Amino acid sequence: MKPTLLLLAAGMGSRYGGLKQLDGLGPNGETIMDYSIYDAIKAGFGKIVFVIRKDFEQEFRDKVLSKYEGHVPAELCFQSLDALPEGFSCPEGRVKPWGTNHAVLMAKDVINEPFCVINCDDFYNRDAYMVMGKFLSELPEGSKNAYAMVGFRVGNTLSENGTVARGICSTDESGNLTTVVERTEIMRVDGPVCYKDEEGNWVAVDDNTPVSMNMWGFTPDYFEHSEAYFKEFLSDPKNMENPKAEFFIPLMVNKLIGEQTATVRVLDTTSKWFGVTYSADRQSVVDKIKSLVDAGVYPAKLF
């Protein structure tokens, strides 16, 4: 069974401004999502599923979904604040979405095969899809609790226009993830890559340190784990009282690893990530895509 690509597209780009998922950056107005889907098809993925907000469904169908007809089956599902388990209701005044793992949960009724989760506004590059597609397609039928994450080398994931947030990963001798710690400020400081720790100090890390770019590989049993833990998350008063508390994928993954319920293989990639974190990044991304088209990596018109 071919794996599915799950694209998280419900968020607005707060630092970038506007609905950056629909920003045309390629020579014929292609979005970053278009390149992700093109690469995924090349890597053997058989279906795409988008998680979006209901309020831009029509614009999304018109501008995005229509272009993939005849190329790959596509489905939509929706993330909303009130999409909660029975017995729970959204706290009054909450406006922030419930986070990336809540977005993943929205797809539980349409995905029945191994799947890869990505952000819509990150350009992961083809090798990342190849290594993830190979891992997922080679899983034994009915496989459970054997997941994966593409570990990008931190030096390949920086912005020239400010700090970035990345999940710094540690692995064991088998190449399995042991922890992923979210660092919200990472940049080069006088040469080496550094992150700012809890005390405000810059800590240097090797350029090849694996980081999470939210490119995960799961099997459908992950939905069951997530549903159970989301109820725990919502049952904790500090999460319900905090209007910014979010149910992130690394939170779920760390729990499963800590309990030894699941393993997460860290897949190495030579891919160089790029994306639009800041509005000043936009022209750099346009230029990088153009150079890939000029080099023949992508056709001028994808779909």
Side-chain angles (χ1 to χ4, degrees):
M1 190 175 286
K2 288 185 173 183
T4 285
L5 184 68
L6 176 60
L7 300 100
L8 306 185
M12 292 286 280
S14 57
R15 284 184 284 191
Y16 180 51
L19 196 58
K20 64 181 176 180
Q21 289 91 345
L22 301 187
D23 192 5
L25 301 169
N28 287 286
E30 290 86 0
T31 65
I32 285 179
M33 285 188 293
D34 292 335
Y35 289 97
S36 296
I37 289 161
Y38 184 87
D39 283 340
I41 293 170
K42 290 282 188 186
F45 286 77
K47 182 173 77 174
I48 54 175
V49 177
F50 293 95
V51 182
I52 67 168
R53 289 202 324 274
K54 187 72 175 173
D55 61 339
F56 64 87
E57 178 185 2
Q58 196 55 53
E59 184 183 11
F60 199 87
R61 287 188 183 279
D62 294 344
K63 289 189 175 180
V64 180
L65 226 56
S66 59
K67 73 179 78 172
Y68 306 129
E69 287 177 10
H71 295 283
V72 64
E75 297 196 47
L76 286 182
C77 46
F78 305 100
Q79 184 180 22
S80 62
L81 288 174
D82 57 0
L84 300 175
E86 193 173 340
F88 295 93
S89 57
C90 185
E92 189 176 344
R94 170 133 191 156
V95 295
K96 192 171 184 63
W98 289 105
T100 50
N101 211 54
H102 178 251
V104 170
L105 262 176
M106 298 304 97
K108 65 182 171 61
D109 293 329
V110 297
I111 295 179
N112 303 296
E113 57 282 318
F115 63 100
C116 172
V117 181
I118 64 165
N119 295 333
C120 272
D121 46 11
D122 288 317
F123 195 107
Y124 292 101
N125 260 303
R126 189 169 304 157
D127 184 67
Y129 293 95
M130 298 300 285
V131 297
M132 180 60 82
K134 183 174 187 294
F135 175 87
L136 294 175
S137 62
E138 290 178 355
L139 286 172
E141 191 170 344
S143 181
K144 292 185 176 184
N145 300 321
Y147 309 144
M149 183 204 87
V150 176
F152 285 76
R153 301 170 189 183
V154 67
N156 286 342
T157 72
L158 305 177
S159 168
E160 296 168 4
N161 297 297
T163 61
V164 294
R166 303 285 180 255
I168 301 272
C169 300
S170 302
T171 58
D172 63 19
E173 63 278 358
S174 301
N176 291 324
L177 187 67
T178 53
T179 59
V180 53
V181 179
E182 191 72 14
R183 299 295 182 183
T184 56
E185 293 183 73
I186 301 176
M187 64 186 298
R188 288 197 185 276
V189 179
D190 299 325
V193 178
C194 298
Y195 67 81
K196 189 176 281 188
D197 67 12
E198 291 80 1
E199 282 74 49
N201 300 313
W202 288 104
V203 179
V205 293
D206 187 273
D207 269 40
N208 291 323
T209 300
V211 294
S212 167
M213 297 300 302
N214 239 19
M215 190 175 197
W216 301 91
F218 299 121
T219 44
D221 54 289
Y222 184 78
F223 294 124
E224 298 164 30
H225 296 309
S226 296
E227 281 188 304
Y229 191 37
F230 192 40
K231 290 175 185 175
E232 283 186 43
F233 177 91
L234 295 171
S235 298
D236 187 335
K238 77 173 187 295
N239 291 327
M240 289 299 268
E241 292 164 7
N242 179 0
K244 293 186 175 180
E246 292 185 67
F247 185 47
F248 289 120
I249 295 171
L251 189 70
M252 181 76 253
V253 168
N254 277 331
K255 176 180 169 64
L256 294 174
I257 292 171
E259 295 175 346
Q260 297 185 329
T261 299
T263 58
V264 180
R265 178 68 53 82
V266 177
L267 308 173
D268 184 37
T269 181
T270 56
S271 284
K272 290 190 176 182
W273 169 93
F274 56 86
V276 183
T277 305
Y278 303 95
S279 55
D281 292 329
R282 188 184 187 280
Q283 188 57 48
S284 171
V285 171
V286 170
D287 294 343
K288 286 173 181 172
I289 290 174
K290 183 179 184 301
S291 69
L292 289 168
V293 171
D294 290 345
V297 178
Y298 297 101
K301 186 168 177 57
L302 292 180
F303 297 104

